[in-house]
Amino acid sequence: MPVTRKRTAANVRRGLFAALVALAGCATPATPAAQPARDAAAAPRPVVVISDFHMGLGRRADAQWDPKEDFRWTGALRGFLDEVTRAHGEAVDLVIAGDFLELWQPPADIPCVGNGADLGCTVAEMKEIVQRVVAAHSADAAALAAFAGRGANKVHVIPGNHDSALVIPEIWRIVADAMAAPGGRVALVADGVWTSADGKVLVEHGHQIGSDVNRYADWPTVTARQDGQAFVVRPWGELFVQRLFNAEEEQYPIIDNLSPETAGARYRMADRGLWRSAGDVARFVAFNVFETSARQKGAALGREPDAGVPCTRAEAEALGHRLVLGALDPKDPFRIQAEADTEEARQLRSALDAQVKAMPDQDLQDLCARQVDATTLGAAIESKFVPRAEVIRKHLRERLARHPDMTVFVYGHTHQLEEAWTLSVAKERAVTVLNSGAFQRLVDERGYLARVEALGIAPEEGLRRIALESLAPCYGAVVVRYDGGEPKAETRLWHMPEAGKGEFVSPGSRKCE
């Protein structure tokens, strides 16, 4: 079932390490779309936030779905849009909070060799990819265009890390033409931050929070020129997906439909061993710690960190790879293989030693506070440092400087639906935080293990045997209504089989297991 969070944000970032951000080049960003003018007299409009469709290449020439295609749910999308209209009328702001398109998985005939690690597709290559993706999802684009054409509805598209190229005007034009609606009712939010007309609701994708491995150094600038060509900047997270995930989906179709994403990677490793690049795996192991640490999941948000520091930098660096591996369960496949007496594992441990030395102090302290083993620093130090809320708090303080009326913050990116929780951001200022999950079919690790147990197979075998269509037909959303002039937000799941009827259900519904 989709992961649901209540008063926790263990996946607030897809990785924490600034040292992992590999970006290069500068270019002129697309002109940001104008934000709604403040109009205190205007009646507040309902806001519905959905994200992370990851619409890709669609069907192959043989009419079968491309194994990498995650969005196969046109019927559910149409039903969802009809229900939004029925429940909220025809003056709704529908916000697509990033990763609408999947542009990190190019077709085989567009290799996007790039220029070094930091520059991926050329703009010309990306334009062709977008044309193919839009053509593959013409019915989905038509459904959104029809919604935008009803009454006074509007559709706002925020670029995410997987579709950052949408900020390039010639590429956005392809999408805009496919979702043509009267009066400019489909608009790109080119700076990545959408706010409601009263400024109280702020929505973004989430890849710019903290030191995410998918962060862009000069967002929303996503292009750079080299050797007379314009390239799309490629963060390290994209490079990892392209090198190590894309090829895996041919054999493991749901590897990136497990939540968190690192769960699929761990079971794949249990099936076939470590990947080829020790450096990349070292980064991903560190990323995995922050996504799946059991201690992290129990951390209480909203709490200020204690004054005590769990460990000094010298202590953390002396532990090296043991600091990272010590935060993983002893039965974790990453850890088992990293601790093995093999040349491959020794290379990985060496890469982790270097990774630890490159981490900022706060990330080292966070790892110190996550130790599962008493043989390193011990679990007792966990209570001294709970930085999870601090990441969002720092981010929202920066947002409040430009959007002082914000009281509701919605993001996506992590694919993990997050129920509303309140964070004290500044003196006498609290913000309600929610995550829209993903508008695609996912299964959390607990639900996945229950499925493979029922099938009587090993978890790694399940990656090959379980079909995407067999996952629960549930899709995340955040709905914001106004009560007495104040926004009231809640997370919901849209449950609808492709050939059935749809309904909104609460997070945690048995229908979504």
Side-chain angles (χ1 to χ4, degrees), residues 45-305:
R45 293 162 56 96
V47 178
V48 177
V49 183
I50 49 181
S51 70
D52 296 271
F53 292 65
H54 292 275
M55 292 182 182
L57 297 173
R59 295 183 183 274
R60 300 182 304 198
D62 62 2
Q64 298 299 308
W65 286 109
D66 187 294
K68 295 188 289 292
E69 179 59 63
D70 287 322
F71 193 83
R72 311 174 184 185
W73 325 119
T74 302
L77 176 61
R78 287 172 175 158
F80 172 83
L81 296 173
D82 288 343
E83 178 59 19
V84 168
T85 297
R86 188 200 67 78
H88 303 289
E90 295 184 345
V92 174
D93 284 311
L94 178 68
V95 183
I96 300 176
D99 288 359
F100 176 44
L101 305 184
E102 176 52 76
L103 304 180
W104 285 10
Q105 297 177 329
D109 62 323
I110 306 179
C112 287
V113 175
N115 193 328
D118 301 333
L119 300 178
C121 300
T122 65
V123 170
E125 288 172 328
M126 184 59 73
K127 185 175 180 180
E128 186 173 351
I129 293 169
V130 171
Q131 288 171 335
R132 295 195 193 182
V133 168
V134 168
H137 291 277
S138 59
D140 304 305
L144 289 163
F147 176 84
R150 298 172 187 166
N153 286 343
K154 294 181 181 179
V155 175
H156 312 269
V157 180
I158 297 172
N161 51 301
H162 281 252
D163 56 7
S164 63
L166 292 179
V167 306
I168 302 169
E170 64 186 288
I171 287 178
W172 168 246
R173 177 48 50 200
I174 298 168
V175 180
D177 288 347
M179 295 197 297
R185 300 240 215 96
V186 176
L188 177 71
V189 185
D191 65 355
V193 178
W194 181 87
T195 56
S196 57
D198 59 8
K200 294 180 179 180
V201 181
L202 187 148
V203 184
E204 62 183 292
H205 180 57
H207 62 290
Q208 293 299 111
I209 298 175
S211 43
D212 190 291
V213 298
N214 301 293
R215 184 184 179 95
Y216 289 80
D218 298 311
W219 182 260
T221 298
V222 301
T223 59
R225 295 193 68 85
Q226 279 194 12
D227 302 328
Q229 282 189 300
F231 292 87
V232 180
V233 171
R234 176 166 55 194
W236 178 82
E238 177 181 358
L239 186 64
F240 185 87
V241 166
Q242 290 178 331
R243 284 182 177 175
L244 302 179
F245 263 76
N246 287 358
E248 303 297 323
E249 286 195 80
E250 294 289 339
Q251 186 170 358
Y252 305 107
I254 65 166
I255 189 171
D256 62 352
N257 295 93
L258 267 67
S259 184
E261 196 170 64
T262 49
R266 295 202 319 278
Y267 294 124
R268 182 285 190 194
M269 286 177 66
D271 190 35
R272 289 172 53 197
L274 294 169
W275 277 296
R276 61 189 177 188
S277 167
D280 280 342
V281 174
R283 290 181 175 188
F284 197 65
V285 169
F287 170 28
N288 172 69
V289 168
F290 288 93
E291 277 215 321
T292 62
S293 164
R295 298 198 175 279
Q296 175 187 356
K297 290 180 179 177
L301 283 168
R303 167 184 168 191
E304 298 285 353

